[in-house]
Amino acid sequence: MDSDKAEEIEAFIRTKMKEGEIPGMTVVIVQGTEISYMNSFGYADIKSKVPVTPQTSFEIASCSKGFTALAILQLEAQGLLKLDDPVSKYFPWFHAEYNNHAFPITLRQLLHHTSGIPWYTITDIPISNEPDALEEVVRNIDGVRLNHQPGEQFEYATINYAILGAVLEQVTGLKYEDYMRDQVFLPLGLEHTTLYPETAGSTLATGYKTGFFQAREYASPTFRGNRPAGYVIMDSEDLAKWLMYQLGTVTSPLTPLIMKTHEPDRTVPPSKFDYSSYAMGWADYQHGNGELSKAGLNPNFSAYMVLRPEDQLAVGVMANNGTTNTYITGHGILDILRDKKPASPYEPDRKLDNAYSVIAIIIAGFALVVAGLLVWTVAGILRKQRSWQPPGRKALLTGLGLLAASAPFIYAVFLIPKAMQGVSWTTAIVWSPISLPAAVAAAAATAFLCCAYLIVSTLFPEANENKRPIPSLIMLGLLSGVANAVVIFIVNSSVGSEIPLRYLLYYFLLALALYIFGRKIIETKLIKLTYRLIYQRRMELLRRILNTSYPNLEKMDNGRVIATLNNDTELIGLSANVLVGFATSLLTVICCFIYLGTISFWGTLISLVVIAAIAGLYMIVSNMANRYWEEARDTQNVFMGLIDAMLKGYKELSLHRNKKLQFRGDVQDSCEQYRDKRILSRIKFTNALVTGESLLILILGVVIFFFPRIFPDIKDFTLVKFIIVFLYLIGPINGLMQVIPDMLQIRVSWRRVEAFNQELPEKSIDADDEWSAFSDEPGIESIAFHRLAFSYADALGERSFAVGPVSFEAERGQILFITGGNGSGKSTLAKLITGLYPSQEGHIAINGNVLEPGRAGEYFSAVFSDFHLFDRIYDIDYEGKQDEIDRYLKLLDLDGQVSIDNGRFSTLKLSGGQRKRLALLICYLEDRPIYLFDEWAADQDPEFRRFFYLTLLQEMRAEGKIVIAITHDDHYFDLADRLFKMDAGQLLELGNFKNKAG
């Protein structure tokens, strides 16, 4: 072999050894009768730095089957058995079933893997070094249910050759190992080939198994029952001889039998995997000048042998790591020798370790989070922040429900080996990467920690109710996001998978259920938590609004108040869904990219760079659009104010068509401004979103068109998996980008709620324990107003219209009338004497005692000219006053129009006069010592107006009430004890008559 070809081969070998984490490898190339290349690479033992040499021995795994096939043919040639003999001839008690019918299995069918025995029967090979281990294998599968009728279809099952080994022992009466040594190995001159590891001694390489991204020393259990199928040990020199025998360039008495092992069984369809027909220990390929090969994989060793008899060329590779990269290396070497680009039908199995390792790391990370929550909970108990609370019936039922719900998932873990390979956990742990049992152990630890946390946190709950669900939401959020990613992993893994559909569906439905129910629980809990917090914030705002003075509230823009209490708080409430969607999408994206990293690290890195660029662009545009959100929100305040004005002043608008049209124009302008600013901000985001979506699609284009050129070794199935994951990721990534405008709106609303909150007083209406209502005091004999004054201020703070100073006094049983023209200050005076407007000087006194500011209203029942009727009665014992309610409804001629049920009015759809009479009813029921009526009789018909002045007011006087009525009904002025007139903000007394109560 020329040096250039040798250098190319060695560079290829080192690359594949690095990719497969192979510690040591030996390679033999035979051309005719010559060894054209023999070289060793790496270490037979990493720890002691022992290099691999041509004398280093390796297990050749399933390449051992060619030796067993040769031995069986040798026994046939000796007349000791026939290939068409059934196994039951040698083991009468053995039987196999297909579709509930017994079928014999012949030795020929075992040799060609057409027995119908399932592959997963490898799990029936015991860990044993006992002399009867081979017969025990046969007994373990006695009564086996076949996947196919014997002789009908190829299905590789390593146990076929274990049975052949048992037959050999039964026929010869010798141990399988001894027969092979004396009748096969030594006659062929394979002096360093053995089935006894102890015979190989120090020349046997240390076995390794991949785990957590590197090769780790692994001592495989002894499977004597599988030696005929996979445990022949040989060195490079013997491998070269064996390959020459297979080529026929070196002969022996066994050569005709060796050639016979190459004869395929073409009575059955070829393998679906690589379209080869199986011979006896060799796979036969019908391309070129013909090719025979055999790949071998043990837990900690692997080998590959490929022959091209017509070209007199053979390649043999042995390695001390159980990896398919050994096959890929051997097949690639043959391609190089034939001046072809290295290719292989095999997929690197390191990806399996990568996947298990990532899963184990993710689970371990989750376990650490749960452990942290558990420690935090225990610390809270020690700090006395949590106290014992016996579990209630609901908690016990929830616990039982969780326990029941966990059963399918526990079963799913138990089912993993059977679903993936049809084997037991013992077999899976032996044959799978070290990371698999580590992942299972991490899952078990996580389950234990979760149970411990749930029990401790339930028995010792967090004192703050709002904090209680947060830890469980963290756990559920992580689980839901991971489950969402697992859904696509399962879908992706199903492409070309041989895993039975029932298992794929089971895991798919479990992952989907975990995602759906996990997200539902998260959203439910987050919505409750968020709206509880929003409720608290809204009630805090309402509390502060109710604490503020009436003049301050009058100054506030109604549109702003409504928008803040309604729109802003509701928008903040949507943050629950936004945050859940963001967290789930983010975790899904992270898990998917971790998964993609196990498929193609550099491809994933390129994709991440592009997505980072998309995110950067989107953030820049988001910051630009934020200003438009702020302006749009200001416009919304104006719009809400106009709507409030429309509802309050609709009767005025309805009088004149042009007025209504002009008002509609203002509303339209406000709506247009809001629309335009929202459109502009949304367009900014949409432009970035469209750009982002386009770039994501471009990534797909890069994957499809450029990955095969950037990464020439990438397999089609790897490319397909990459594309499927990216198609799935477009949704979550777009979801992450679309969250940004929602978060900006929430941030704007949150700031406005905070700003509004800061403008309102903090003191609560129920905070003053010294406050006492009038009912707690002695009878009210008089109320005096001493020099009360109030003035309005314009936008610049300059004083405009003023009322006062005003001074007058009213005694028990007196009626006071106040008249005056429009704009004279009557309504302002009414608000001033009731305490709604704070007096800028003077004071109010009850029975000669000065009242605290703002307390006068407790003594008044009032019907203002712009009164408002609530749909229910407040601060009245309506149940104890039902007789009075019935009497007053009849007295006010309302008994046929409205009723009061459970403290609520049956209707408020009444005429203006009826509504005022209903307001008067409230005054009666409140039974305060002082009544204030502002133009009460203005909306009444003449008959009821007369009834009001002549009857109702007189009854109030007789009951000792003080009545202050603002009125223009001059022909009833003589009914008053005192008559006042407001003129330009000043109160003038027109008459002081005798007390009519007497």
Side-chain angles (χ1 to χ4, degrees), residues 71 128 311 355 362 656 690 693 807 935:
S128 171
D311 299 334
I362 290 174
H656 308 114
V690 170
E693 288 181 351
S807 297
E935 302 286 1

Side-chain angles (χ1 to χ4, degrees), residues 358 362 481-489 492 584-600 604 608 721-722 724-730 732-733:
V358 168
I362 290 174
V482 170
N484 191 23
V486 169
V487 169
I488 186 58
F489 297 167
N492 216 350
T584 304
S585 295
L586 181 62
L587 200 57
T588 300
V589 170
I590 290 172
C591 290
C592 283
F593 270 106
I594 291 173
Y595 172 67
L596 285 177
T598 67
I599 297 175
S600 173
T604 304
L608 282 172
K721 289 182 177 181
F722 221 91
I724 290 174
V725 173
F726 254 107
L727 286 171
Y728 184 80
L729 274 177
I730 287 176
I733 291 175

Side-chain angles (χ1 to χ4, degrees), residues 653-667:
L653 290 173
S654 299
L655 292 175
H656 308 114
R657 179 176 180 274
N658 286 339
K659 182 187 292 185
K660 186 181 286 188
L661 290 174
Q662 290 173 13
F663 178 82
R664 188 181 70 183
D666 285 345
V667 175

Side-chain angles (χ1 to χ4, degrees), residues 916-928:
K916 276 198 174 180
R917 296 205 294 277
L918 205 55
L920 180 60
L921 168 65
I922 301 298
C923 290
Y924 276 125
L925 297 177
E926 286 178 343
D927 197 23
R928 305 281 171 157

Side-chain angles (χ1 to χ4, degrees), residues 262 279 282-285 290-294 305-309:
H262 297 174
W282 297 93
D284 183 274
Y285 295 85
E291 183 176 301
L292 292 157
S293 69
K294 188 68 187 82
M305 300 178 194
V306 58
L307 317 168
R308 292 187 66 83

Side-chain angles (χ1 to χ4, degrees), residues 389-612:
Q389 180 176 308
R393 185 169 179 268
K394 182 179 179 181
L396 290 173
L397 290 175
T398 301
L400 290 173
L402 288 174
L403 187 63
S406 65
F409 294 93
I410 295 172
Y411 180 64
V413 174
F414 171 78
L415 204 61
I416 288 173
K418 188 172 182 62
M420 297 184 66
Q421 298 174 323
V423 299
S424 66
W425 262 111
T426 301
T427 305
I429 289 172
V430 170
W431 290 87
S432 297
I434 294 172
S435 48
L436 175 60
V440 174
T446 302
F448 172 78
L449 288 169
C450 286
C451 290
Y453 169 74
L454 290 173
I455 292 171
V456 173
S457 61
T458 300
L459 297 178
F460 296 88
E462 170 70 49
N464 187 337
E465 187 178 354
N466 289 332
K467 291 182 180 179
R468 288 182 187 178
I470 293 176
S472 58
L473 288 175
I474 293 173
M475 292 194 298
L476 279 172
L478 292 172
L479 279 175
S480 185
V482 170
N484 191 23
V486 169
V487 169
I488 186 58
F489 297 167
I490 294 172
V491 171
N492 216 350
S493 300
S494 67
V495 177
S497 174
E498 294 183 1
I499 299 174
L501 179 61
R502 62 183 183 276
Y503 296 122
L504 288 172
L505 281 176
Y506 183 73
Y507 286 103
F508 177 80
L509 292 174
L510 275 185
L512 193 62
L514 183 59
Y515 169 68
I516 292 174
F517 287 105
R519 179 153 185 180
K520 181 184 183 301
I521 293 171
I522 291 170
E523 288 195 8
T524 301
K525 287 182 173 291
L526 266 180
I527 287 171
K528 288 180 180 179
L529 174 63
T530 303
Y531 277 100
R532 192 158 54 234
L533 294 173
I534 296 307
Y535 160 79
Q536 292 174 354
R537 178 50 58 95
R538 181 175 285 171
M539 289 309 299
E540 172 67 14
L541 288 174
L542 286 170
R543 183 179 66 83
R544 292 186 179 224
I545 290 173
L546 292 171
N547 289 343
T548 196
S549 65
Y550 180 75
N552 285 344
L553 189 63
E554 274 191 322
K555 295 175 185 176
M556 289 184 182
D557 178 16
N558 284 0
R560 182 190 177 200
V561 175
I562 295 170
T564 301
L565 282 173
N566 185 47
N567 292 34
D568 287 330
T569 52
E570 285 297 323
L571 190 58
I572 292 171
L574 293 176
S575 61
N577 288 332
V578 171
L579 289 174
V580 168
F582 178 80
T584 304
S585 295
L586 181 62
L587 200 57
T588 300
V589 170
I590 290 172
C591 290
C592 283
F593 270 106
I594 291 173
Y595 172 67
L596 285 177
T598 67
I599 297 175
S600 173
F601 173 77
W602 292 107
T604 304
L605 190 61
I606 291 172
S607 304
L608 282 172
V609 169
V610 175
I611 289 174

